[in-house]
Structures are given as structure tokens and as C-alpha cells.
Amino acid sequence: MGDAIFEGLARFAGIFVLVLLGGIIVVLFVGGLPAFRQFGAGFLISDDWDPVHQVFGALVPVFGTLVTAVLALIMAVPLAFGIAFYLTELAPLWFRRPVGTAIELLAAVPSIIYGMWGFFTIVPIMAEYVQPFVIDTVGDLPLIGDFFQGPPFGTGIFTAAMILAVMIIPFIAATMRDVFETVPAVFKESAYGLGCTTWEVMRSIVIPYTRISVVGGIMLGLGRALGETMAVTFVIGNTNRIAHTIFGPGNTIASIVALEFPESESGSLKLSSLLALGFILFVISFIVLAISRILLRPGAKA
Amino acid sequence: MSATIAVSGTVPGAAKNIAASVQLGRSRHRTNTVVKSLCVLATALGLIFLASILFTLIVRGFGGLSTTVFTKSTLPPGSHGGLLNAIIGSLIQTCIGTLLGTPIGLMVGTYLSEYASGSKLGDSVRFVSDVLLSAPSILIGLFVYALMVAPFGGFSGIAGCVALAVIVIPIVVRTTEDMLRLIPVALREAAVALGAPKWKMIVMVCYPAAKQGIVTGILLAVARVAGETAPLLFTSLGNLNWSVSLAKPMASLPVTIYQYAGSAFEDWVQLAWVGALLITFGVLAINIAARLVLRVGK
């Protein structure tokens, strides 16, 4: 009797989690339905965001979300790899735990703190040193130079991506470290025995052995970067325009929802558009996180 | 596994061409040294980021710490307010959110580890829980807004608690399942052999044995939700007046920091930094405590 009740409770709790996910999808979709109905498929390709004329489109925030997340990934992956490599192969044993903990603590710092740190510490550095330097050097190059021009405000897409990179480094590094540690010592020792250097063992043994999980860890970082709200809101410049340079201002789905929500009346088309944006964000991050989970599943090794 | 040792170029026999093999050896070691140095640099950079964040918080926030921060509520600019209502609001919402989410997370973790091995339902619950673990928290805020705030006509502290509870659940699920799986079969068999029904075996043998791990999970969940801003913007909204009513909008440290940091008033910005200092060191302390609990247990 007690067994049946307990198992029932446990199963019920499990089903509750499924209902929760289904609920989030349905609620966001139903909330966004008036906007989808009003604008149809054009919602996805329109770059308007005009509360006065009640015209809304998702193109700019979707573009900003993808660009900042991908840029963040490009910056974070090499650093996270370096940290994971250092922590598994290079660091002295007694040093691994404190350094590993410190890197993990980066993941514990609340998002809003990253926003304030970014706005008050990183933005001035970007505006005074990094951006003028890059604009003066790379900005004059043919073809790619156009992406590195514009006034050096300090805020913008590039700065947002940088802050996001710092935020996702601990997640990617932790996953990489964990999977690097699953490589059987025999494999590494055989390679060392043949005279391989540490880097050659990493490149030829550890990475091929763990590559699927490594990609899974990177996707996990991407999923995190897509939905970050507070940090991005502080530094991205919040303009609903597709910038032509990476130093230009922009917005992301999460930042526009956080900023515009207080000015949206309940039941308005604007609020519905925000919920529709939330639905799009959920779909994008669900796909990315689902891929990450499938790749990180135990037994999904090459 | 096809692990080919990809050494650049062909390896010449030492006897055939000494100069070439010395050359190759040098270049391989040079590459190795360069990569190793870059890795040390990457780690140093990561530590510098953490140090820079903590340094910024201390430099800007420490000067504003005073007893008024803890004894007065938020007040209009220029009238020497504190953060009392925000601190209390954060404590209330974090506690209730954790209290709501933990039992559910615990039961889900139990289900996954004890009842669902190999079942389709179990696999999908585990998958969904792991996705929710990393899902954007702002969407959970929107979800609770549409569910509890819009239909009942108002932002409320309890809506904030529910949003935080939704974030707590997958964190507790993950650690509970992992920790229960570590319990040796012999221990379970001993309990069953004494005639204990399965539920008693779980509650009286497995839970106590996995206690440290489960507590760690709960502490990590507390640390995570204590710093959440985005979901609270849509649910408990924030409140610049003193209020502990769960039916009304409720202040919280992160939301107050957000409101104050973007303001044009110097004393508000200063208070935002004090709040940021408090919340960060609080959250980091809980995180470290969680790790210690696990280590002492081992």
C-alpha cells in the first residue's frame, strides 16, 4: 500500500515536469498567437518595432540573439578548451581543485552582476582602448574592414558577446574537463610511451576520443548564451536596428522582452509580440539544448 | 578507436637524417610549449575575470556599506534609504521558492533513479528536466506571468516564488538522481532483506545515505535563484515600499539593483553596488558551502 502511494507520487512528480515543459510551450504560443495571427510569417522577417503604429517584427532581436551567441561561442571555446586542458593535464595536482573551483564560481555569479561589471568596467575599456585601436587598424582593411567601423561607444554587439563569453566559459570548461577525464589512462600512456608531447596526446588521443561530448558541451554553452537577459540588457545598446558593424548597438530577444515588457499593457498586441518572441527563443534554445543533451548522453561516444 | 598519431611530416629514421629529426623534434617541442603557454594564459584570464568582478564589487560597493542599508527600506533619491525591504523580499521569495520546488525535485529525482530505469517515460522526464535546467530563466518568468499574473490582475510575491520554484526543480532533480545512483546495491538489499518495503528502503536508507549530496543540490539551487533577476521582473515586479505581503508586488535584491543601477541618482547607484556586493558574496558563500558539505561527506 505504502509502496503504491510512494511510487505514484514519484511518477506524478515526473509527469509534472513534462507538463511543466508542455505548459511553457503552450502558454508562450497561445500568448503570442494574436501577434502570429496579425503578422503571419512576416513576423519573422520584419525588422519593424513600432509601438505607435502597432507594427512588430522579430527579425532584429532574432538576428541579435544569434549573432551575439555565436560571437560569444567563438571567443569562449578556445579559452574554455585552454582551461580544461590546463586543469586535466598541465596543472600541478594540488592546484587543480582551487583553480577549478574558482572557474566554477564564475558560473555562480548572478547575471545582473555581469551586467553591472560589463557596463562599469568593460564598456569604458572597450570605448577608450579596444575599439579605437581595432577601428584604426582592422577597420581600414578591404572587405572585412567595414565590420569593424563606427563610433566607439563601448556598448554594442561585440561587448555583449564578450560578456556572454565570460559567462559561458565555466559551463563549457567544466563539461570539457569532465569528459577529458573519462579518457582511459592506458590510451594516453601509450601515446606518451611513443614519445608524444602533451599537446600531441591532447590532439591525437583525447580530442578524438571525446569529440562528441566536447561538441555537446559547446552546444550547452550556446544554449546558455541565447537566453541570457540581464547582462546583455546592460551592454548591448538596445536599438532595434540591424547594425552593420560588430561594434554597433542592437538587441536580443531576451533584452527586448525585459526592456519593453514594463511598457506593454496586458492584452495589447505589443505584449503578444513579446510572448511570441519568447516562444521563438524557447524553440531555438530547446533545439540547441536538446542537441547538447543527445551528444552528452552517456554512451554517445565515437 | 582509430587514434592516429598525427606528427607533422614523416618521421625520419634517426640514422638516416639526424639534422632533419633534430629539426622535427625542436618544432614539435616548440608547438607543445606554445600551446601549453596559451592554456596557462587562458586559465589566468579566467581567474582575472573573476578577480576583476570581485574587485569591482568591493571597490564600488564596500564604501556604501553601513547599518542603514540593513535597517531602512528603499527611499526616494537623496533621503538616505537602505535595502531592508529588498533583502527581506529576496529572503522570502528564495525560501518559499526553494520550499515549493525542493519536494517536487526530490520526488522526480527519486522516480528517475529508483523507478524509471529503462522506461520511456523516465528517459523523457530526464531529458526534459535537463533541458529545463539550462532553459532561459526569462521565459520561466513570462510563463508564470501568463499563468498567474495576467489572469489574476496583478504582480505578486507568490508569483515570484513560483517562478523561482520552477527554476529550483531541475537543479534538485539532477543532484538527487546522481546521488541516489551512487548508493551501493548491497545497502539497498540489506534493507529489503530485513523486510522493508521499497518506499521505506528509499526514505530510511537511501535518503540518509545520500543526504550530503541532496543538501548540496538544494544549496546550489538556493544560490542560483537568489541571484535571479529576469523571472522576477515579470512576476513579483519589485516594490519600493515596505511590503511582506505575498499577494502584492514584492521587492528583491536583484530587481532593486537593476532599477537602481540604471538610475541617474548617485546615491541609488551606490546602493545598487552595495546590493550587488551583498548578493554576490552571499551567493558565492553558499556555493562554497555546498562544495564543503559534499567534501565533508566523502
Side-chain angles (χ1 to χ4, degrees):
Chain A
M1 185 61 197
D3 255 345
I5 295 174
F6 194 78
E7 183 176 355
L9 273 177
R11 187 185 298 269
F12 179 77
I15 293 168
F16 178 78
V17 171
L18 297 182
V19 172
L20 205 57
L21 180 87
I24 294 175
I25 296 173
V26 170
V27 161
L28 291 177
F29 183 74
V30 169
L33 207 53
F36 286 129
R37 231 186 242 138
Q38 175 81 22
F39 305 115
F43 186 68
L44 279 174
I45 50 166
S46 155
D47 62 356
D48 283 325
W49 190 271
D50 188 349
V52 181
H53 297 100
Q54 293 284 300
V55 186
F56 304 102
L59 185 65
V60 180
V62 170
F63 172 81
T65 304
L66 297 177
V67 168
T68 47
V70 170
L71 271 179
L73 214 54
I74 293 172
M75 291 185 247
V77 167
L79 284 173
F81 172 78
I83 293 170
F85 187 17
Y86 179 79
L87 286 177
T88 47
E89 304 288 336
L90 305 176
L93 281 177
W94 60 271
F95 202 48
R96 288 181 190 182
R97 185 181 254 163
V99 174
T101 308
I103 298 292
E104 282 170 26
L105 285 184
L106 264 184
V109 173
S111 170
I112 185 156
I113 306 301
Y114 275 102
M116 292 179 76
W117 174 68
F119 191 77
F120 290 94
T121 303
I122 299 300
V123 167
I125 296 176
M126 294 297 293
E128 288 209 11
Y129 305 104
V130 181
Q131 289 185 359
F133 175 76
V134 175
I135 291 166
D136 285 347
T137 51
V138 188
D140 291 336
L141 295 176
L143 292 174
I144 59 160
D146 288 346
F147 293 114
F148 298 93
Q149 283 175 351
F153 288 128
T155 54
I157 291 173
F158 183 75
T159 311
M162 242 180 79
I163 308 286
L164 281 177
V166 179
M167 298 180 76
I168 61 174
I169 281 172
F171 292 100
I172 304 179
T175 322
M176 284 189 181
R177 183 189 59 184
D178 291 349
V179 298
F180 287 171
E181 276 170 0
T182 61
V183 178
V186 185
F187 288 5
K188 290 193 273 184
E189 282 159 10
S190 335
Y192 281 123
L194 287 171
C196 282
T197 59
T198 322
W199 165 237
E200 282 161 1
V201 171
M202 194 66 191
R203 200 182 61 171
S204 314
I205 306 292
V206 177
I207 293 179
Y209 188 83
T210 56
R211 60 174 181 259
I212 289 183
S213 308
V214 166
V215 175
I218 293 172
M219 296 298 271
L220 178 69
L222 180 63
R224 289 267 173 181
L226 289 168
E228 261 313 322
T229 311
M230 305 318 295
V232 173
T233 310
F234 269 88
V235 298
I236 198 164
N238 301 308
T239 314
N240 197 68
R241 206 172 47 225
I242 292 188
H244 297 288
T245 87
I246 59 168
F247 294 140
N251 59 11
T252 67
I253 295 177
S255 77
I256 198 173
V257 171
L259 275 177
E260 301 272 326
F261 175 83
E263 295 150 26
S264 321
E265 281 164 50
S266 168
S268 66
L269 190 59
K270 187 175 173 190
L271 185 67
S272 169
S273 303
L274 292 177
L275 287 165
L277 277 176
F279 177 74
I280 295 171
L281 174 61
F282 194 86
V283 171
I284 299 174
S285 44
F286 182 85
I287 293 170
V288 170
L289 292 170
I291 295 174
S292 150
R293 277 300 137 203
I294 290 165
L295 295 177
L296 284 173
R297 208 173 36 196
K301 292 200 176 62
Chain B
M1 223 211 63
S2 61
T4 46
I5 310 297
V7 177
S8 49
T10 48
V11 184
K16 286 181 212 152
N17 191 342
I18 295 172
S21 82
V22 167
Q23 180 75 35
L24 181 61
R26 277 210 193 113
S27 82
R28 285 173 57 206
H29 279 279
R30 207 179 303 127
T31 314
N32 193 37
T33 315
V34 169
V35 174
K36 273 177 162 177
S37 318
L38 287 177
C39 290
V40 174
L41 210 65
T43 312
L45 208 55
L47 297 178
I48 289 171
F49 288 140
L50 182 67
S52 165
I53 292 169
L54 299 181
F55 182 75
T56 308
L57 286 171
I58 291 171
V59 166
R60 294 190 184 246
F62 201 74
L65 267 182
S66 64
T67 45
T68 33
V69 172
F70 302 98
T71 53
K72 282 193 173 169
S73 291
T74 47
L75 290 174
S79 41
H80 304 289
L83 292 168
L84 182 65
N85 55 339
I87 294 170
I88 300 291
S90 260
L91 285 177
I92 294 175
Q93 291 175 76
T94 305
C95 287
I96 297 183
T98 312
L99 285 178
L100 287 175
T102 300
I104 301 175
L106 204 59
M107 284 316 277
V108 180
T110 309
Y111 171 69
L112 290 179
S113 141
E114 307 295 317
Y115 292 103
S117 52
S119 82
K120 276 255 156 55
L121 178 65
D123 287 344
S124 25
V125 170
R126 186 177 300 113
F127 181 78
V128 164
S129 174
D130 283 343
V131 168
L132 282 180
L133 186 64
S134 306
S137 61
I138 189 170
L139 297 182
I140 290 163
L142 277 182
F143 167 65
V144 176
Y145 168 82
L147 213 62
M148 290 182 67
V149 177
F152 299 109
F155 298 95
S156 62
I158 190 70
C161 300
V162 170
L164 296 184
V166 174
I167 299 172
V168 165
I169 293 172
I171 305 176
V172 175
V173 171
R174 181 73 356 266
T175 41
T176 306
E177 190 198 353
D178 289 348
M179 291 304 147
L180 285 179
R181 278 183 187 279
L182 289 179
I183 293 169
V185 181
L187 202 62
R188 298 160 187 271
E189 283 170 349
V192 174
L194 285 171
K198 189 169 180 179
W199 74 273
K200 266 199 170 160
M201 183 266 290
I202 295 170
V203 174
M204 303 182 81
V205 176
C206 294
Y207 284 166
K211 195 172 62 195
Q212 275 98 356
I214 295 173
V215 170
T216 301
I218 298 172
L219 284 175
L220 289 177
V222 169
R224 164 87 194 275
V225 297
E228 280 292 350
T229 317
L232 296 181
L233 283 177
F234 310 112
T235 49
S236 63
L237 187 67
N239 191 338
L240 293 178
N241 300 311
W242 171 260
S243 166
V244 287
S245 162
L246 284 175
K248 290 194 187 129
M250 188 180 264
S252 61
L253 261 181
V255 172
T256 310
I257 294 170
Y258 177 56
Q259 291 164 336
Y260 275 23
S263 78
F265 311 109
E266 228 167 80
D267 56 333
W268 273 21
V269 176
Q270 175 65 54
L271 267 181
W273 282 108
V274 175
L277 180 76
L278 293 176
I279 198 87
T280 309
F281 281 85
V283 163
L284 294 187
I286 299 172
N287 249 280
I288 291 169
R291 279 157 223 274
L292 288 180
V293 167
L294 200 60
R295 209 181 301 168
V296 168
K298 270 180 185 167

